[in-house]
C-alpha cells in the first residue's frame, strides 16, 4: 500500500494544481465539481460551482405483443444525463437533432430491451501472453434509450466483451457467466439485435438508398412497399437524407461518401431490422474529430428513439465523452469501473488520479491505465536527464491499475451495479421474438439483380476483361490469319486454338480483385445472417452469366473469322458454347482459389501456377498418350479444363473434314490431326467434352460452397449458438 500511495502522490503531483476540484474554482475555467454533501453524486462539467441535478430514472417499458411494436411518437429528451457545458467558454453540449431536416420531425419509436451481464469471463487460448482470460468477471447492464460505452486501451478485451454480449464469439472461445436480456437467459433471436463490425464491406457502385433497399430485401419478408418505408426510416435515423441518392464509392476512380457517412451507412444497414439492441464495434474507427462528433450525436438521436446502444471505443474528445450515459472501463480484461459516465471522473479522483484541467476525460483514463505509456515514461526520463524537467510523468501504470481496480471493488459504484443487476434479473420480462426472414428464392433473385447492377456499373468486374479479351483475340487473330484449309496448316491451327483457350483463360485472372470483393461482401452479410453460401453462389453465378456469355461470343466471333475456321453456323455456335463453358470453369476455379487465400497476391500467384501446370498437361506440347503416366497424365491431364476445351474445339473443326493427298488419295480430319493432338473419332465426343466442362463448372462451385459453408462461414454460423451453449453448460 505504501508503494501504491507513493505512486499515487507522484501522479497527483504531476497533474496541474488546478486539477483538484478543491484547489481552485475560477468561474471562467473548466473544472469538475461535486454536489456538496453527497458521496456518490456524479461530478459534472460546470463553469460555476452551482450544481445542476441531472439524474434521470431509467425506464423499462413492457409492451404487449412481445415488445416488438413500433409506434409513431415525437422525439423526446434522452433519459440519460449528459454534460450541460463542455468547456470554459460555456459551450453547450451538441444538441440531439430531432429529424433529418429542420423543424420537429416525426420519427418512429423503437422498443428497446435491457441487457445485463454478471460475472462474465471469456477465455481464448493464446490470446494473452500470461493468461488466456480475455475478459475477467465483468458486471454491467444497459437500458433502452441509453448509450453504454466499453472503453479501454488496445487489447483490453473491449471487442471480446461486446461479442460475448451479442453471442458472436468464435468457436475457440469459452464464455462463463450469465447474460440476461429483459431478465431472461435466452439468447437473442434473429432480428432482435444488430451488430456492426469495426470494418464493414459496402458496395461502392450503389447509392445509399439502393444499398439499404437491397439489404432490406435480403433481411425482411413482406411487401416491397413496406421495405421502402423501413429504408427511409433508417436513412432518417442516421441523418443520411442528404446522401441518399449519392454513390457510396470508396474507390480511386469512384469518389463517394467520406468515412463518417460510410460508417453511418453500415449502421443504417442494421437498422432496417429495427433491432431492440444495437452493438457497434468502434463506431469512431478512422474518423476525424468532426465526423466523430457527428456520429455520436446521430447515435444519441437513435438512442433517444428507444434503442439500446452498446459499443466500444478507444478514446474520444470531451464533447463526445459528454454524450455517453454509462461507461465500462477495461484494462487487460479487468473491469476498473462501471457506472454513470460522469461518476467515473469522481472514481478516478477518489483513487488519487484526478483529471487535469483542460484534458479530455477519456485521454486521462487511458493515460492512467495503458501499460504502453511505461515506454513513453522511460523516454521522458531520458529526455529529462539531458534537457532538464521535461515531463513529470513518473507513475507506474501497473500500480495505477491495481489502485483504481481496488478502489472500484470497494466502492458504492460496484455495489450499486450488483444491486441493479439483481433488480433486472429478479423477474423475466417480455421475451424477444425472432423476426421473419426473406425466403431463399427472394434472396437469390435479389442477389442476382444486385450482382447484375454492380457488374454493369463497375468497369473492373467484366468490362475491363471484355476489352482485354478483345485485344488478345485481335492479336491472336492477326498472328494466325490466312492459314487456309490445307493439310499443312493443321499443326498451326492446333497451336492457334491452344493459344486462344490457354491465354484467354489466363487473362481471366484479372477478375480476382472483383471476386475477392464479392467474397468479403458475402462475409459481411453472412455474419448477420443476411445471406447464405448457397444463395450467394447462385446469385453470383446467375449474375455473371450474361457478362461471361458476352465475352465468349464476342471473342469467339473475332477469332473464328480471323483465323478462318470452317464456315458453318452450327460449328460456330458450338465454338461459342465451348468457350463459354471454359469461362464458367475458369470463373469457378478463381472463386475456389480466392476463397482459400482471400488475398489478391497469393490468389493471383496460385492461379498463374495452376494455369501453367494445366497448360503443360493439356496435350499440346506433347501428345496426351505420350505424357508420363504418374502426375502428368494422372491427375493433371484429366483435371485440366484446357484438355477438354481444346479437344472439343478441334473435334468440332476436323471431324467430318476430308483432306486430299495427291490426286487420288484423301485422309479424314481425324487422321490428319491425330499426330498433333489426341482426339476421339466419335462425332459425339465433342458434346461429351462440353458436358465435362459443365460438370467441372458446377464442381468448382460446389467446392466454393464447401469452403464458404465450413471455412469462411464457420465462425459465422457457429457463433450465434455455440457460445450460448457453452455458457449454459458452464453454469
Amino acid at each position: 500500500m505504501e508503494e501504491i500511495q507513493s505512486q499515487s502522490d507522484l501522479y497527483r503531483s504531476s497533474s496541474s494544481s488546478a486539477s483538484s476540484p478543491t484547489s481552485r474554482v475560477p468561474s471562467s475555467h473548466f473544472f469538475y465539481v461535486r454536489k456538496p454533501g453527497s458521496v456518490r453524486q456524479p461530478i459534472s462539467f460546470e463553469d460555476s460551482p452551482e450544481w445542476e441535478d441531472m439524474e434521470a430514472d431509467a425506464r423499462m417499458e413492457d409492451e404487449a405483443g412481445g415488445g416488438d411494436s413500433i409506434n409513431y411518437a415525437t422525439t423526446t429528451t434522452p433519459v440519460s444525463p449528459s454534460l450541460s457545458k463542455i468547456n470554459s467558454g460555456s459551450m453547450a453540449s451538441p444538441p440531439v437533432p430531432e429529424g433529418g431536416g429542420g423543424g420537429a420531425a416525426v420519427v418512429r419509436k423503437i422498443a428497446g430491451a435491457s441487457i445485463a451481464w454478471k460475472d462474465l469471463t471469456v477465455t481464448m487460448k493464446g490470446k494473452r501472453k500470461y493468461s488466456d482470460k480475455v475478459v475477467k468477471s465483468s458486471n454491467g447492464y444497459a437500458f433502452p434509450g441509453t448509450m453504454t460505452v466499453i472503453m479501454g486501451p488496445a487489447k483490453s478485451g473491449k471487442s471480446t466483451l461486446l461479442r460475448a454480449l451479442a453471442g458472436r464469439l468464435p468457436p475457440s472461445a469459452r464464455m462463463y457467466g450469465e447474460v440476461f436480456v429483459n431478465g431472461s437467459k435466452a439468447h437473442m433471436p434473429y432480428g432482435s439485435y444488430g451488430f456492426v463490425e469495426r470494418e464493414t464491406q459496402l458496395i461502392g457502385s450503389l447509392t445509399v438508398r439502393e444499398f439499404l433497399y437491397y439489404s432490406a430485401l435480403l433481411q425482411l419478408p413482406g411487401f416491397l412497399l413496406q421495405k421502402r418505408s423501413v429504408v427511409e426510416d433508417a436513412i432518417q435515423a442516421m441523418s443520411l437524407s442528404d446522401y441518399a441518392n449519392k454513390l457510396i464509392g470508396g474507390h480511386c476512380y469512384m469518389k463517394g461518401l467520406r468515412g463518417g457517412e460510410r460508417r453511418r451507412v453500415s449502421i443504417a444497414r442494421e437498422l432496417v431490422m429495427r433491432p431492440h439492441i444495437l452493438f457497434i464495434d468502434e463506431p469512431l474507427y478512422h474518423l476525424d474529430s468532426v465526423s466523430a462528433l457527428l456520429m455520436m450525436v446521430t447515435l444519441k438521436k437513435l438512442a433517444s428513439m428507444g434503442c439500446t446502444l452498446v459499443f466500444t471505443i478507444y478514446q474520444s474528445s470531451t464533447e463526445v465523452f459528454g454524450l455517453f450515459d454509462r461507461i465500462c472501463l477495461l484494462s487487460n480484461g479487468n473491469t476498473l469501473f462501471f457506472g454513470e459516465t460522469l461518476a467515473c471522473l469522481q472514481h478516478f479522483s477518489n483513487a488519487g488520479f484526478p483529471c487535469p484541467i483542460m484534458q479530455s476525460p477519456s485521454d486521462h483514463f487511458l493515460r492512467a491505465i495503458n501499460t504502453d505509456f511505461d515506454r513513453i515514461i522511460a523516454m521522458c526520463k531520458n529526455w529529462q536527464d539531458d534537457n532538464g524537467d521535461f515531463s513529470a510523468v513518473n507513475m507506474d501504470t501497473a500500480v495505477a491499475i491495481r489502485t483504481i481496480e481496488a478502489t472500484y471493488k470497494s466502492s458504492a459504484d460496484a455495489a450499486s451495479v450488483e444491486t441493479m443487476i439483481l433488480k433486472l434479473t429478479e423477474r423475466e420480462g417480455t421475451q424477444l421474438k425472432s423476426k421473419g426472414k426473406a425466403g431463399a428464392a427472394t434472396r437469390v433473385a435479389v442477389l442476382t439483380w444486385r450482382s447484375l447492377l454492380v457488374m454493369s456499373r463497375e468497369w473492373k468486374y467484366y468490362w475491363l476483361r471484355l476489352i482485354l479479351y478483345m485485344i488478345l483475340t485481335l492479336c491472336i487473330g492477326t498472328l494466325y490469319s490466312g492459314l487456309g484449309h490445307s493439310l499443312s496448316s493443321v499443326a498451326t491451327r492446333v497451336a492457334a486454338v491452344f493459344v486462344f483457350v490457354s491465354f484467354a483463360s489466363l487473362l481471366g485472372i484479372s477478375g480476382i480483385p472483383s471476386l475477392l470483393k464479392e467474397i468479403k461482401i458475402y462475409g459481411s452479410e453472412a455474419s448477420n445472417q443476411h445471406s447464405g453460401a448457397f444463395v450467394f453462389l447462385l446469385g453470383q453465378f446467375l449474375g455473371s452469366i450474361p457478362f461471361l456469355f458476352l465475352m465468349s461470343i464476342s471473342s469467339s466471333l473475332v477469332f473464328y473469322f480471323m483465323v478462318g475456321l470452317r464456315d458453318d453456323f452450327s460449328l460456330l455456335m458450338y465454338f461459342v458454347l465451348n468457350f463459354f463453358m471454359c469461362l464458367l470453369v475458369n470463373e469457378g476455379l478463381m472463386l475456389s482459389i480466392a476463397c482459400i487465400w482471400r488475398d489478391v497476391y497469393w490468389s493471383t500467384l496460385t492461379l498463374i501456377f495452376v494455369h501453367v501446370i494445366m497448360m503443360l498437361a493439356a496435350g499440346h506440347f506433347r501428345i496426351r498418350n505420350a505424357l508420363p503416366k504418374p502426375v502428368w497424365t494422372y491427375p493433371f491431364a484429366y483435371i485440366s479444363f484446357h484438355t477438354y476445351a481444346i479437344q472439343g474445339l478441334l473435334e468440332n473443326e476436323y471431324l467430318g473434314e476430308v483432306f486430299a493427298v495427291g490426286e487420288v488419295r484423301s485422309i479424314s480430319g481425324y487422321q490428319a490431326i491425330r499426330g498433333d493432338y489426341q482426339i476421339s473419332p466419335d462425332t459425339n465426343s465433342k458434346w461429351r467434352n462440353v458436358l465435362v466442362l459443365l460438370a467441372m463448372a458446377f464442381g468448382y462451385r460446389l467446392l466454393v460452397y464447401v469452403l464458404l459453408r465450413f471455412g469462411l462461414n464457420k465462425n459465422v454460423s457457429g457463433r450465434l449458438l455455440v457460445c450460448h451453449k457453452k455458457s449454459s453448460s458452464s453454469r
Side-chain angles (χ1 to χ4, degrees):
M1 291 301 296
E2 293 180 358
E3 180 189 3
I4 294 177
Q5 184 62 36
S6 62
Q7 294 291 347
S8 301
D9 293 338
L10 282 173
Y11 181 73
R12 187 183 293 108
S13 63
S14 69
S15 302
S16 173
S17 61
S19 64
S20 175
T22 58
S23 57
R24 56 173 179 161
V25 188
S27 60
S28 60
H29 290 279
F30 183 104
F31 65 94
Y32 316 115
V33 65
R34 176 183 291 281
K35 183 177 180 180
S38 178
V39 177
R40 296 192 63 256
Q41 187 72 23
I43 59 178
S44 175
F45 295 96
E46 297 289 339
D47 59 359
S48 67
E50 297 178 359
W51 176 263
E52 180 181 357
D53 192 1
M54 303 181 66
E55 277 194 359
D57 297 330
R59 297 176 298 177
M60 300 180 58
E61 300 177 358
D62 294 335
E63 298 190 24
D68 194 23
S69 60
I70 300 177
N71 302 320
Y72 283 100
T74 56
T75 303
T76 58
T77 304
V79 299
S80 60
S82 61
L83 300 182
S84 60
K85 297 182 180 179
I86 298 299
N87 55 21
S88 58
S90 300
M91 172 183 169
S93 177
V96 178
E98 298 189 358
V106 175
V107 297
R108 292 182 181 268
K109 196 70 174 177
I110 299 176
S114 66
I115 182 171
W117 58 99
K118 182 179 180 182
D119 296 329
L120 189 62
T121 300
V122 179
T123 62
M124 200 174 298
K125 282 292 183 182
K127 190 68 175 179
R128 293 290 185 268
K129 185 176 181 181
Y130 302 106
S131 173
D132 60 354
K133 291 184 177 180
V134 184
V135 179
K136 307 170 186 176
S137 300
S138 177
N139 295 327
Y141 55 88
F143 288 142
T146 63
M147 296 198 305
T148 302
V149 58
I150 304 173
M151 183 181 291
K155 298 181 181 180
S156 61
K158 304 186 300 295
S159 297
T160 303
L161 176 57
L162 189 73
R163 292 183 178 277
L165 297 178
R168 296 168 63 92
L169 287 172
S172 59
R174 298 292 186 273
M175 189 179 81
Y176 309 91
E178 298 172 318
V179 177
F180 301 88
V181 180
N182 279 349
S184 174
K185 294 182 182 179
H187 73 278
M188 290 174 286
Y190 172 79
S192 63
Y193 78 99
F195 192 96
V196 183
E197 298 282 357
R198 182 178 303 177
E199 293 184 357
T200 55
Q201 295 294 325
L202 305 178
I203 304 178
S205 55
L206 298 179
T207 66
V208 172
R209 181 174 278 111
E210 288 173 341
F211 177 75
L212 295 179
Y213 183 58
Y214 285 121
S215 297
L217 291 175
L218 288 174
Q219 299 178 54
L220 300 171
F223 299 102
L224 301 182
L225 186 60
Q226 295 175 344
K227 298 177 183 181
R228 290 187 184 277
S229 64
V230 170
V231 168
E232 295 304 322
D233 290 341
I235 291 175
Q236 181 184 2
M238 295 309 298
S239 302
L240 291 169
S241 300
D242 295 336
Y243 309 95
N245 296 318
K246 189 173 182 180
L247 288 175
I248 295 175
H251 309 288
C252 58
Y253 62 89
M254 186 186 295
K255 293 183 179 179
L257 304 182
R258 295 174 295 180
E261 287 81 23
R262 292 174 61 86
R263 196 75 173 120
R264 280 185 278 153
V265 171
S266 64
I267 297 175
R269 180 174 66 178
E270 301 304 316
L271 290 182
V272 298
M273 287 293 294
R274 296 176 182 171
H276 304 287
I277 305 174
L278 184 61
F279 301 95
I280 311 176
D281 192 8
E282 295 283 358
L284 307 185
Y285 188 62
H286 285 172
L287 298 187
D288 57 77
S289 58
V290 176
S291 299
L293 181 58
L294 180 58
M295 169 66 74
M296 295 313 302
V297 170
T298 305
L299 291 179
K300 191 70 176 180
K301 180 187 74 171
L302 179 62
S304 70
M305 296 163 59
C307 186
T308 305
L309 293 182
V310 183
F311 53 88
T312 63
I313 199 170
Y314 178 73
Q315 65 183 126
S316 65
S317 63
T318 305
E319 292 87 349
V320 170
F321 180 84
L323 296 174
F324 303 151
D325 296 312
R326 291 178 185 84
I327 180 172
C328 179
L329 191 62
L330 298 180
S331 179
N332 196 27
N334 297 300
T335 302
L336 303 187
F337 178 81
F338 183 90
E340 298 292 333
T341 307
L342 301 180
C344 189
L345 290 166
Q346 187 62 49
H347 168 64
F348 270 71
S349 181
N350 293 341
F353 307 101
C355 184
I357 291 176
M358 303 302 294
Q359 183 174 356
S360 170
S362 65
D363 290 340
H364 172 66
F365 298 155
L366 296 178
R367 166 63 187 85
I369 65 177
N370 195 343
T371 55
D372 292 336
F373 273 100
D374 290 336
R375 292 179 297 175
I376 302 177
I377 293 171
M379 294 174 59
C380 291
K381 287 182 179 179
N382 296 334
W383 180 273
Q384 182 177 349
D385 294 338
D386 299 333
N387 300 275
D389 189 9
F390 173 74
S391 174
V393 180
N394 298 307
M395 179 187 60
D396 185 359
T397 307
V399 175
I401 293 174
R402 291 198 299 269
T403 305
I404 297 170
E405 184 179 8
T407 304
Y408 172 68
K409 288 182 178 179
S410 60
S411 68
D413 294 297
S416 64
V417 172
E418 295 181 359
T419 302
M420 181 58 68
I421 293 176
L422 182 61
K423 291 181 179 179
L424 291 174
T425 58
E426 280 180 345
R427 64 183 182 89
E428 294 187 1
T430 304
Q431 294 286 337
L432 300 183
K433 295 183 178 180
S434 177
K435 299 181 179 179
K437 298 182 181 179
T442 302
R443 291 187 175 188
V444 170
V446 171
L447 289 176
T448 302
W449 182 253
R450 190 180 71 177
S451 297
L452 284 170
L453 184 61
V454 171
M455 293 171 186
S456 64
R457 288 183 180 179
E458 293 197 26
W459 57 270
K460 72 175 184 178
Y461 266 80
Y462 290 106
W463 299 122
L464 177 61
R465 291 164 62 181
L466 176 61
I467 295 173
L468 295 177
Y469 271 48
M470 293 302 297
I471 295 175
L472 174 66
T473 308
L474 287 171
C475 293
I476 298 174
T478 54
L479 184 65
Y480 289 98
S481 61
L483 294 179
H485 291 276
S486 64
L487 185 62
S488 60
S489 67
V490 171
T492 309
R493 198 179 296 273
V494 170
V497 173
F498 172 81
V499 169
F500 173 71
V501 172
S502 301
F503 283 39
S505 301
L506 189 63
L507 197 61
I509 300 177
S510 59
I512 275 291
S514 304
L515 296 179
L516 282 171
K517 182 180 178 182
E518 287 197 25
I519 293 173
K520 291 180 179 179
I521 293 173
Y522 158 75
S524 177
E525 293 179 339
S527 63
N528 286 341
Q529 305 181 65
H530 300 167
S531 181
F534 176 76
V535 296
F536 162 72
L537 275 177
L538 190 55
Q540 194 276 339
F541 174 73
L542 296 176
S544 63
I545 284 179
F547 298 95
L548 292 178
F549 186 76
L550 177 62
M551 287 190 293
S552 66
I553 194 171
S554 58
S555 302
S556 298
L557 288 174
V558 173
F559 176 83
Y560 200 92
F561 290 108
M562 290 192 70
V563 175
L565 300 183
R566 292 170 63 183
D567 189 11
D568 189 298
F569 181 76
S570 62
L571 300 181
L572 172 62
M573 289 298 99
Y574 176 87
F575 193 100
V576 173
L577 178 62
N578 184 293
F579 187 57
F580 173 66
M581 291 298 171
C582 185
L583 294 182
L584 283 181
V585 176
N586 192 37
E587 195 85 356
L589 176 62
M590 291 193 296
L591 269 173
S592 304
I593 301 300
C595 286
I596 293 173
W597 288 113
R598 280 170 276 171
D599 178 80
V600 174
Y601 174 78
W602 288 109
S603 298
T604 304
L605 190 66
T606 303
L607 279 169
I608 292 175
F609 176 77
V610 170
H611 273 80
V612 170
I613 295 298
M614 288 183 174
M615 290 162 61
L616 291 175
H620 172 69
F621 297 103
R622 191 175 183 185
I623 297 296
R624 273 200 302 160
N625 56 17
L627 288 173
K629 299 301 180 183
V631 181
W632 288 107
T633 301
Y634 306 105
F636 287 158
Y638 284 92
I639 65 175
S640 171
F641 68 90
H642 301 69
T643 302
Y644 306 99
I646 296 170
Q647 182 177 329
L649 293 178
L650 292 177
E651 289 170 348
N652 181 64
E653 177 67 16
Y654 286 105
L655 291 183
E657 185 75 26
V658 177
F659 293 96
V661 180
E663 296 181 358
V664 295
R665 184 182 171 205
S666 63
I667 62 173
S668 64
Y670 169 74
Q671 293 174 321
I673 198 175
R674 64 182 179 180
D676 296 294
Y677 200 89
Q678 180 181 341
I679 64 173
S680 172
D682 186 2
T683 55
N684 294 322
S685 176
K686 67 178 184 179
W687 296 108
R688 286 197 294 269
N689 287 319
V690 170
L691 291 178
V692 171
L693 290 174
L694 182 61
M696 295 181 75
F698 283 107
Y700 278 123
R701 281 167 175 80
L702 179 62
L703 175 61
V704 174
Y705 173 80
V706 173
L707 292 172
L708 291 177
R709 183 67 179 84
F710 302 102
L712 176 65
N713 202 27
K714 182 179 180 180
N715 292 339
V716 173
S717 60
R719 282 173 187 165
L720 303 176
L721 294 177
V722 170
C723 61
H724 291 286
K725 292 179 181 179
K726 292 175 180 176
S727 63
S728 300
S729 60
S730 65
R731 298 175 198 137

